Amino acid sequence: MKKLIPISSRDDILPEYFNTPIGLLLEYHNLLRPHASYPKAELLIGMCMDNRKYLKIPANFSYIIRTGGANLRHSEFQTSYAIAVGQVRHIALIGHNKCGMVNLISKKEQFVNGLSEGAGWDKEKAEIHFSQFAPMFEIGNETDFVLSETKRLRLRYPKIKIAPMLYLVEDNKLYLLKED
Ligand SMILES: [Zn+2]
């Protein structure tokens, strides 16, 4: 948690993000800034599919790609679309604590049984499905993953400003992540 930068006033927003759509996201969500109206999207948010998270942002303000663990490696076309066609120039990548994409192997039995009992899958097929995809979607550690994914995206999209963040499910606030 030593990498978290709490945002409880506008002064807490790092200068590189101040007065950008990234800073505005922090103001809207954490500081309850009154909503402006947006004719088009200003931001792309990458965040986890997890149900515990809800962002307080204006209508039309942002594209949102939700995936397991805020992992955009398998959503590259959608990311490119938001930049190329949607004309956004800023990305907020939001991981969260207690993410289900950490230590996936520990959930194998639950996954296989759940798919078998809940969806009518053959157990053997469910096991193959898990073994095939779990390594692709495992993120290891939420904070480190968001930081490394931010670095990867910056190399991929060099003109786009990208900020790594963490959402704490206990207080429902966004935190900026300190980078080395
Ligand atoms: Zn998650």
Side-chain angles (χ1 to χ4, degrees), residues 146-180:
V146 169
L147 289 169
S148 71
E149 182 66 350
T150 297
K151 281 190 184 137
R152 184 188 72 78
L153 287 165
R154 283 178 183 152
L155 290 172
R156 195 79 174 126
Y157 303 103
K159 289 172 78 176
I160 304 300
K161 188 169 280 255
I162 307 173
M165 300 184 190
L166 204 78
Y167 184 112
L168 288 190
V169 295
E170 288 84 3
D171 66 5
N172 295 301
K173 299 279 191 220
L174 290 172
Y175 294 77
L176 280 168
L177 284 174
K178 266 182 210 144
E179 298 184 69
D180 303 323

Side-chain angles (χ1 to χ4, degrees), residues 47-53 66-70 94-102 139 142 169:
M47 66 190 286
C48 187
M49 64 193 265
D50 192 287
N51 61 304
R52 289 166 290 185
K53 305 178 343 288
R66 297 192 70 152
T67 68
I94 308 173
H96 70 101
N97 65 328
K98 302 189 173 160
C99 185
M101 293 297 123
V102 172
I139 63 168
E142 298 95 338
V169 295

Side-chain angles (χ1 to χ4, degrees), residues 74-158:
H74 310 290
S75 305
E76 189 150 75
F77 186 77
Q78 293 88 334
T79 305
S80 297
Y81 183 93
I83 294 166
V85 180
Q87 299 181 312
V88 305
R89 296 293 175 262
H90 296 80
I91 299 176
L93 196 63
I94 308 173
H96 70 101
N97 65 328
K98 302 189 173 160
C99 185
M101 293 297 123
V102 172
N103 194 16
L104 273 172
I105 196 72
S106 69
K107 297 171 189 95
K108 181 172 180 179
E109 204 184 320
Q110 196 186 353
F111 185 100
V112 170
N113 291 337
L115 213 45
S116 154
E117 286 154 27
W121 278 49
D122 178 81
K123 269 202 172 178
E124 201 179 325
K125 276 193 182 144
E127 276 202 35
I128 292 167
H129 186 53
F130 183 88
S131 304
Q132 188 179 358
F133 288 102
M136 263 166 82
F137 291 105
E138 169 66 48
I139 63 168
N141 163 294
E142 298 95 338
T143 304
D144 293 342
F145 179 78
V146 169
L147 289 169
S148 71
E149 182 66 350
T150 297
K151 281 190 184 137
R152 184 188 72 78
L153 287 165
R154 283 178 183 152
L155 290 172
R156 195 79 174 126
Y157 303 103

